[in-house]
Amino acid sequence: RVEAFRNEAPNYWHIEDNMFYVVFMLMFGAKDNGIKNTYPYKFGTLASGSRWRQRQDDLDSLFPYDNQGLASAKFWCEWADFSDEAKTAYAFKGEHSALVQLLLLAFPDVEKDIAHRMFDAMQELSNYGSTTIDKLMGFFRTYFFDKAQYYFPKSVYNKDVEYAYEEAWPKYADGTYDVDVHPLSQVVGDALETEMEWIEKRMVYTMSKYQYGPFGANGYNDTSLGRIN
């Protein structure tokens, strides 16, 4: 099946675009987009050379967060890993996606190439840093934190907690607010330090996984990251 997919999939799917979709999920921890919140599209007919690509939305399950707003994901989580010790749920929803599994099995070289190109682009787009890891973290500050945690004061996040979660707590307790997640479990403030720590570890992990930057085929090969614990 893998060999047939490798030979026939390029007739229908834009392999690089679809692999970007997969590597993005893995690199950024987008855990709720494996079989939903993702939409195949193409601009022309197959006969004209157009191929199916992917676009995503509802990307609220990035970084350590699951689709219930809980910081349950480990920075080393992989596509088929479980999110709990009892192995009752997968970290990535949609781990059984035949498309994703076949892309990973059939095109490992494309996966690595796309990851390297993403790391290169993230460094180029970063407004901060000089070393590889600093530039990568600078990318997240440029496009995430400068637009959120560094823009809104902590008092705004605290006020939102009061309105969205603390006021909902009594209603949850008496049953008038019926949801499957306890409101207070989602009280995390601005979560800046939590997210930065997870992302930094995730970047180091994925650089090692894809043999990028300070990591080569033989392992850790320079000192730009300092001591790695």
Side-chain angles (χ1 to χ4, degrees):
R1 187 174 69 163
V2 173
E3 187 65 26
F5 184 83
R6 183 182 296 115
N7 293 331
E8 298 176 21
N11 296 326
Y12 305 93
W13 299 94
H14 191 290
I15 300 303
E16 287 190 347
D17 186 90
N18 278 266
M19 190 61 78
F20 170 79
Y21 151 67
V22 173
V23 175
F24 175 87
M25 286 193 292
L26 291 169
M27 191 180 293
F28 285 62
K31 293 169 289 296
D32 202 26
N33 290 63
I35 54 172
K36 65 173 185 173
N37 303 323
T38 302
Y39 314 95
Y41 74 97
K42 58 184 176 67
F43 290 114
T45 64
L46 292 173
S48 69
S50 185
R51 296 293 182 264
W52 289 101
R53 300 170 180 259
Q54 304 287 351
R55 63 163 60 97
Q56 303 181 65
D57 68 5
D58 198 17
L59 285 158
D60 59 347
S61 298
L62 295 176
F63 311 146
Y65 304 112
D66 58 28
N67 61 356
Q68 292 185 322
L70 306 177
S72 64
K74 307 300 184 183
F75 73 85
W76 61 82
C77 65
E78 286 284 353
W79 188 250
D81 286 349
F82 291 95
S83 60
D84 60 331
E85 293 184 2
K87 297 184 178 181
T88 61
Y90 286 97
F92 286 87
K93 310 305 178 186
E95 55 76 35
H96 56 290
S97 166
L99 176 62
V100 172
Q101 291 183 355
L102 284 169
L103 284 166
L104 292 172
L105 290 170
F107 301 102
D109 292 341
V110 178
E111 178 189 5
K112 183 176 179 180
D113 177 64
I114 291 294
H116 281 221
R117 288 160 62 183
M118 288 175 65
F119 282 130
D120 288 344
M122 290 162 68
Q123 291 190 74
E124 184 177 346
L125 291 168
S126 174
N127 290 337
Y128 305 94
S130 55
T131 65
T132 299
I133 189 63
D134 287 345
K135 288 180 180 178
L136 292 176
M137 292 304 295
F139 166 84
F140 287 96
R141 175 165 181 176
T142 301
Y143 293 97
F144 289 85
F145 304 134
D146 278 353
K147 305 296 189 294
Q149 288 98 324
Y150 283 116
Y151 182 81
F152 296 104
K154 290 183 181 294
S155 58
V156 172
Y157 285 91
N158 292 336
K159 191 64 178 178
D160 177 70
V161 163
E162 178 184 340
Y163 173 76
Y165 303 117
E166 291 178 359
E167 291 184 8
W169 180 20
K171 297 179 181 180
Y172 174 86
D174 65 21
T176 57
Y177 180 54
D178 185 18
V179 294
D180 60 356
V181 182
H182 196 298
L184 292 189
S185 69
Q186 296 179 309
V187 175
V188 296
D190 68 5
L192 176 62
E193 289 78 13
T194 298
E195 293 179 8
M196 289 180 66
E197 180 180 14
W198 191 93
I199 291 169
E200 183 173 28
K201 290 180 177 179
R202 187 66 174 178
M203 290 299 100
V204 173
Y205 176 82
T206 50
M207 281 194 291
S208 174
K209 172 185 173 73
Y210 294 118
Q211 299 177 357
Y212 178 86
F215 296 92
N218 297 320
Y220 185 52
N221 61 16
D222 71 28
T223 58
S224 65
L225 290 177
R227 180 181 176 85
I228 299 179
N229 295 318

